[in-house]
Amino acid sequence: MSGSSSFYAQDPSARTSWRLAVLMGANSRTYKFALGAALLDAASRGRSEIPLTELAEPYALELVRHLGDAPQAPESLTLRDTDFLVIAKEERAETLATGQPTERLLAAAARSMPAMVMQKFHNLRGGTQLPHRFFELTGDARQRLVRLTPEVLRVARSEQAAGLCAELDARWSIVESSFAAGVGRSLMEDGVAVDWKSLRLTDKKRRRSVAKVGTRSFPSSTVAASSVMALSHPVRRWRLITSSPSPSCSVSTA
């Protein structure tokens, strides 16, 4: 049984499907977290339908805010001038000054979301998909409409919603740290092992040394020791919750 299947089997519910999307989906960029935060916010306010351009506002704004703190894609990735992250960096100063995405940034977000993050949000590794779906994209290129499913409405308005938001923020932070540190995909998936003889962290899949154990061996530019150690356990790393001074995800309690 795969990791995602066993994780879901413990609590086969829409809530667990949501956690699978956040914790076990592919992470070539951080778009999924920005979309997840925007979906939870809209669903917590009872929105069953929302124009794509409206959903793109919080999506773009949160990505711009995060861009100032950490990379939102692997630093080794070469981005084209038309890439959404390139446009977000160029529009960041004006967006933050006004508190609203610029017209150019909003247009780029609405243009890229259907073909990128919205197409992949429900996908898991290995060609499988989430047991539940949380939105559907309808309409044509001129007027796209996002329909939120009863499952995401139920998840966003449940007693666990605040915890799911905290989990999303924590996972977003860990992925950002992995990008900044150059931590590869195998580390994020399979974690690390501790060689107590040499006091080194080892990539489980490639059996290569990652870093020495101990806080002094982690430069400030790399992933925090607590995050690295969290990756060493296949269950603990999904349950790691960290505090954030300015959380990206929030749900309405009204």
Side-chain angles (χ1 to χ4, degrees), residues 38-50 54 146-150 152-158 250-254:
L39 288 171
L40 281 181
D41 177 62
S44 71
R45 291 183 281 111
R47 300 287 300 274
S48 59
E49 294 184 344
I50 182 169
E54 185 177 339
V146 182
R147 288 183 175 155
L148 306 188
T149 64
V152 74
L153 290 169
R154 187 163 61 249
V155 166
R157 306 181 86 175
S158 69
S250 62
V251 289
S252 174
T253 57

Side-chain angles (χ1 to χ4, degrees), residues 47-215:
R47 300 287 300 274
S48 59
E49 294 184 344
I50 182 169
L52 176 62
T53 52
E54 185 177 339
L55 189 68
E57 289 187 31
Y59 169 84
L61 187 58
E62 286 307 324
L63 278 169
V64 162
R65 287 173 175 163
H66 276 255
L67 271 171
D69 299 324
Q72 301 305 301
E75 295 190 325
S76 60
L77 187 66
T78 301
L79 302 177
R80 296 178 296 177
D81 291 343
T82 56
D83 192 281
F84 175 70
L85 283 180
V86 173
I87 295 174
K89 289 179 181 178
E90 294 172 350
E91 300 297 311
R92 183 172 183 270
E94 184 177 345
T95 295
L96 293 180
T98 61
Q100 294 291 330
T102 64
E103 204 170 297
R104 180 178 177 233
L105 177 60
L106 189 60
R111 184 171 59 251
S112 66
M113 288 170 70
M116 290 283 291
V117 64
M118 300 190 85
Q119 190 176 89
K120 300 176 180 179
F121 187 87
H122 296 100
N123 294 347
L124 294 172
R125 297 192 188 281
T128 60
Q129 290 203 329
L130 296 174
H132 297 84
R133 298 191 70 82
F134 298 108
F135 64 86
E136 294 178 354
L137 187 62
T138 64
D140 54 29
R142 292 183 179 181
Q143 192 170 7
R144 298 270 193 181
L145 186 68
V146 182
R147 288 183 175 155
L148 306 188
T149 64
E151 286 76 13
V152 74
L153 290 169
R154 187 163 61 249
V155 166
R157 306 181 86 175
S158 69
E159 293 181 355
Q160 296 83 23
L164 294 176
C165 274
E167 188 169 63
L168 184 150
D169 281 330
R171 183 62 176 163
W172 194 341
S173 178
I174 289 175
V175 172
E176 287 175 332
S177 295
S178 76
F179 290 159
V183 174
R185 178 177 295 178
S186 64
L187 283 179
M188 294 301 290
E189 290 181 357
D190 302 307
V192 294
V194 180
D195 184 340
W196 293 109
K197 291 184 178 180
S198 62
L199 293 179
R200 300 192 71 87
L201 297 177
T202 305
D203 184 333
K204 285 184 177 179
K205 181 175 287 187
R206 300 182 185 178
R207 295 299 177 184
R208 61 178 180 175
S209 175
V210 177
K212 292 187 69 176
V213 177
T215 56

